[in-house]
Amino acid sequence: MLGPVLLAASRSDRMRRVVASAPVTRPVVQRFIAGDDLAPALDTVRALTASGLHVTLDHLGEDVTDRATAQATRDAYLKLLETLAGAGLAERAEVSVKLSAFGQALPDGGHDIALENVRPVAELAGEHGTTVTLDMEDHTTVDSTLSVLRELRREHPGTGAVLQSYLFRTEDDARALAVEGSRVRLVKGAYKEPGSVAFQDRREVDRAYVRALRILFEGEGYPMVGSHDPRMIAIAQELAARTGRAPGTYEFQMLYGIRTAEQRRLAEAGERMRVYVPYGADWYGYFMRRLAERPANLAFFLRSFAPGR
Ligand code: FDA
């Protein structure tokens, strides 16, 4: 019940000011965010990769409404990629980007501005032997994001996409993307979507996840299983066995701070396991989506407001 309220709050500027300025918020945020800037995030990447995990880094930010901030996002990613390469981490660390932070939502020509800003990021990633994955945001952005993906894949075929199983359209998108060299992260979906475009019942979302997973594993591309759900992980492993895929021809992905023991267990069992590591000062939207996903996270957050803490 609370999930939709929190998702609505994730886009409220007033709530952003209240939550972001509350001193008690910080320790809870730290569970999910690897720091306000690159230096602590890099320490996290070093620790994760040293323990056999792979990483995708997200410089936090979304819903940018002016060109200068969109360019600043591009510059932050260019700096991130140079830093990863300089530290010898580019082999195990890629980056995830939200096109709304690159200008996609700007009223005049947002799509083209986002493409123009993200292209140099894909180029630099390629030069350093790593990749970019385009996160997927709310359903109004899917066509634009997949079109940017097609453009980038011309020169950088390893550019990754994200598909959300809660959207009715996703099986078709999965079929279109299950092609040689195509990297697709399948997730359940984290935004508040209307019943006209998305399943509302969690069981339906799960069933749709399995259908799309099957398409991706049976296809020619590189499936990236973005889920903490033990059932989805078990099904992915069954599909890998059934389709004769060895570890490394697909991978698992989980978010930083969530089911960390399971992340290690999968890596130790020989699976490729990638951790999505968000960092940066603009953590509010990301943080609220994590609270919305799980009532226990919200309870943990609210307890931190209790007197004496
Ligand atoms: P589900 O929500 O059913 O949870 C299954 C189990 O996982 C829970 O019972 C619990 O044990 C654990 N768990 C799940 N969420 C938790 C949380 N927040 N805190 C603690 N435990 C939790 N979405 C999107 O719309 N666009 C995107 O680009 C991405 N990108 C992305 C990358 C990666 C690497 C991951 C793992 C996820 C995303 N997502 C996303 C988020 C995704 O859509 C979804 O909201 C979350 O992954 C939660 O769904 P699960 O599949 O984990 O299952």
Side-chain angles (χ1 to χ4, degrees):
M1 280 299 113
L2 264 170
V5 176
L6 289 166
L7 288 179
S10 75
R11 289 194 143 164
S12 151
D13 277 341
R14 200 163 68 90
M15 277 301 288
R16 176 190 297 268
R17 282 193 295 276
V18 172
V19 173
S21 61
V24 291
T25 304
R26 187 98 334 213
V28 191
V29 170
Q30 279 166 359
R31 180 182 157 197
F32 300 109
I33 315 293
D36 270 356
D37 51 42
L38 187 49
L42 215 59
D43 291 341
T44 299
V45 175
R46 279 201 188 88
L48 291 170
T49 53
S51 68
L53 297 161
H54 290 70
V55 164
T56 183
L57 275 142
D58 169 17
H59 172 81
L60 287 165
E62 53 198 87
D63 295 339
V64 160
T65 52
D66 66 276
R67 253 186 131 115
T69 314
Q71 284 163 351
T73 301
R74 174 200 63 199
D75 294 345
Y77 271 97
L78 295 175
K79 179 175 164 208
L80 167 60
L81 285 162
E82 290 295 8
T83 310
L84 287 173
L89 293 166
E91 197 195 321
R92 276 184 173 254
E94 65 134 35
V95 299
S96 285
V97 305
K98 284 191 174 48
L99 290 182
S100 77
F102 283 75
Q104 189 182 40
L106 293 184
D108 291 319
H111 171 88
D112 293 336
I113 294 168
L115 176 59
E116 183 189 312
N117 281 326
V118 79
R119 205 190 283 282
V121 176
E123 268 159 22
L124 190 61
E127 276 169 37
H128 290 312
T130 187
T131 45
V132 175
T133 295
L134 306 181
D135 282 354
M136 196 58 86
E137 302 178 68
D138 71 68
H139 77 277
T140 62
T141 66
V142 176
D143 282 330
S144 162
T145 300
L146 293 181
S147 155
V148 169
L149 175 80
R150 276 191 296 278
E151 280 299 317
L152 294 180
R153 287 198 71 226
R154 284 180 215 275
E155 296 283 320
H156 311 285
T159 305
V162 177
L163 296 180
Q164 300 151 317
S165 74
Y166 62 17
L167 293 184
F168 299 150
R169 61 178 285 168
T170 284
E171 269 181 75
D172 289 339
D173 289 333
R175 254 178 229 109
L177 287 175
V179 295
E180 169 109 39
S182 161
R183 296 166 60 253
V184 181
R185 176 197 303 154
L186 182 66
V187 300
K188 291 186 185 176
Y191 295 80
K192 186 173 182 299
E193 297 291 11
S196 52
V197 299
F199 298 110
Q200 306 293 309
D201 180 322
R202 291 178 76 90
R203 284 163 307 183
E204 296 246 48
V205 175
D206 287 358
R207 281 197 284 270
Y209 192 98
V210 175
R211 288 195 298 274
L213 206 52
R214 189 173 300 130
I215 294 168
L216 295 175
F217 271 84
E218 288 173 355
E220 301 293 315
Y222 180 79
M224 306 189 282
V225 185
S227 179
H228 312 96
D229 187 335
R231 288 168 311 151
M232 300 306 141
I233 291 160
I235 290 169
Q237 287 182 314
E238 272 172 41
L239 282 169
R242 207 189 308 153
T243 54
R245 281 176 178 270
T249 62
Y250 64 93
E251 69 182 42
F252 291 98
Q253 297 192 346
M254 291 191 197
L255 302 176
Y256 175 71
I258 301 181
R259 301 203 70 208
T260 48
E262 178 66 0
Q263 294 173 11
R264 281 195 303 276
R265 186 192 72 77
L266 284 166
E268 280 160 15
E271 297 286 7
R272 184 176 293 171
M273 175 77 230
R274 192 177 299 276
V275 184
Y276 184 107
V277 177
Y279 73 94
D282 194 0
W283 45 260
Y284 174 77
Y286 179 91
F287 175 67
M288 293 300 276
R289 288 194 293 279
R290 302 295 79 78
L291 292 190
E293 273 154 12
R294 192 157 156 77
N297 289 342
L298 180 64
F300 177 55
F301 178 54
L302 292 176
R303 271 201 306 277
S304 67
F305 282 89
R309 291 187 55 122

